């Protein structure tokens, strides 16, 4: 009954919010529509040192190991800025979706990685990764604003973002743990 009242309250207030949480790596994903864009706030926790987490998050080409990412390759690196070309392929409600982009990453510090789409199929994609130490672990925090093509219905886009991001972050957390266990995240 409380859940029912909460849903009605959110609907009456005109707030649409989707949240997902998993427990193994404490993965949380929240997607909120904001005009034509979606604000995504997500995080997960992995037992890595800050140095290992930096090595992991800056391994741009390893992103192709995560669900939906078919290609991820560095096309240039200048100072603390890296251009990465990505191809994402997803299946949403039996409809195949392929998106290409060139994303510029700015390695601001060991705890902050900013990114923005330079070109690609999304109308807008910009955000940041924050690495937050928590005891013997690191919390990876992802904040982004995303606007997909206007031909994608808003409700389908919201569903797509929430479900695919949740799968991707779960896979990232699991991959980071496996790579740490296999000693593949050596600090430089």
């Amino acid at each position: 009954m409380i859940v029912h009242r909460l849903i009605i309250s959110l609907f009456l207030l005109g707030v649409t919010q989707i949240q997902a949480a998993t427990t193994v790596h404490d993965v949380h994903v929240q997607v909120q529509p904001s005009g034509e864009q979606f604000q995504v706030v997500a995080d997960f926790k992995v037992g890595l040192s800050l140095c290992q987490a930096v090595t992991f998050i800056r391994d741009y080409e390893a992103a192709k190991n995560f669900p939906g990412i078919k290609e991820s390759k560095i096309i240039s690196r200048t100072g603390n800025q890296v251009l990465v070309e990505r191809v994402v392929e997803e299946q949403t409600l039996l409809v195949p979706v392929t998106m290409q982009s060139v994303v510029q990453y700015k390695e601001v510090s060991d705890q902050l990685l900013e990114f923005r789409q330079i070109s690609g199929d999304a109308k807008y994609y910009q955000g940041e990764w924050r690495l937050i130490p928590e005891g013997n672990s690191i919390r990876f925090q992802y904040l982004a604003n995303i606007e997909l093509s206007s031909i994608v219905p808003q409700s389908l886009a919201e569903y797509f973002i929430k479900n695919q991001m949740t799968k991707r972050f779960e896979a990232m957390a699991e991959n980071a743990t496996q790579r740490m266990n296999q000693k593949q995240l050596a600090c430089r």
Side-chain angles (χ1 to χ4, degrees):
M1 189 63 158
I2 292 173
V3 173
H4 187 265
R5 285 184 186 162
L6 178 62
I7 292 171
I8 290 172
S9 296
L10 290 174
F11 179 74
L12 292 175
L13 290 172
V15 176
T16 303
Q17 186 176 30
I18 295 178
Q19 291 186 346
T22 61
T23 56
V24 177
H25 295 286
D26 197 24
V27 178
H28 301 90
V29 178
Q30 180 180 6
V31 179
Q32 281 190 308
S34 178
E36 296 295 313
Q37 295 184 1
F38 293 95
Q39 293 178 331
V40 180
V41 178
D43 63 83
F44 58 90
K45 188 174 176 179
V46 182
L48 300 176
S49 68
L50 179 58
C51 176
Q52 290 170 317
V54 170
T55 300
F56 177 78
I57 203 70
R58 291 182 181 175
D59 189 354
Y60 306 105
E61 294 188 347
K64 64 184 169 232
N65 298 318
F66 308 135
I69 300 179
K70 296 300 176 197
E71 287 292 325
S72 184
K73 68 179 183 175
I74 294 173
I75 53 176
S76 75
R77 181 185 292 269
T78 306
N80 69 340
Q81 296 188 19
V82 182
L83 287 181
V84 178
E85 185 175 44
R86 289 233 167 105
V87 176
V88 176
E89 291 180 1
E90 301 287 356
Q91 188 81 12
T92 304
L93 302 176
L94 303 178
V95 177
V97 176
T98 300
M99 296 182 68
Q100 298 181 352
S101 64
V102 174
V103 177
Q104 178 185 50
Y105 289 88
K106 184 176 181 184
E107 298 168 345
V108 178
S109 71
D110 283 352
Q111 292 183 282
L112 179 62
L113 177 65
E114 297 175 343
F115 58 86
R116 68 184 178 94
Q117 177 181 275
I118 301 298
S119 64
D121 294 329
K123 281 188 173 181
Y124 185 83
Y125 178 56
Q126 184 169 334
E128 64 187 35
W129 279 99
R130 291 188 177 271
L131 302 177
I132 305 165
E134 288 186 9
N136 294 330
S137 298
I138 296 293
R139 181 160 303 277
F140 289 77
Q141 183 182 60
Y142 173 88
L143 308 164
N145 288 311
I146 302 169
E147 183 176 352
L148 299 178
S149 168
S150 59
I151 61 169
V152 178
Q154 198 77 338
S155 59
L156 181 60
E158 188 172 356
Y159 174 85
F160 171 79
I161 291 169
K162 178 209 167 248
N163 287 295
Q164 299 310 319
M165 291 290 200
T166 300
K167 289 177 189 172
R168 196 162 296 143
F169 293 137
E170 288 170 345
M172 286 179 73
E174 188 58 36
N175 183 274
T177 300
Q178 288 173 359
R179 289 177 63 191
M180 181 202 58
N181 290 338
Q182 296 169 0
K183 310 280 189 239
Q184 295 178 357
L185 294 176
C187 294
R188 297 174 191 175

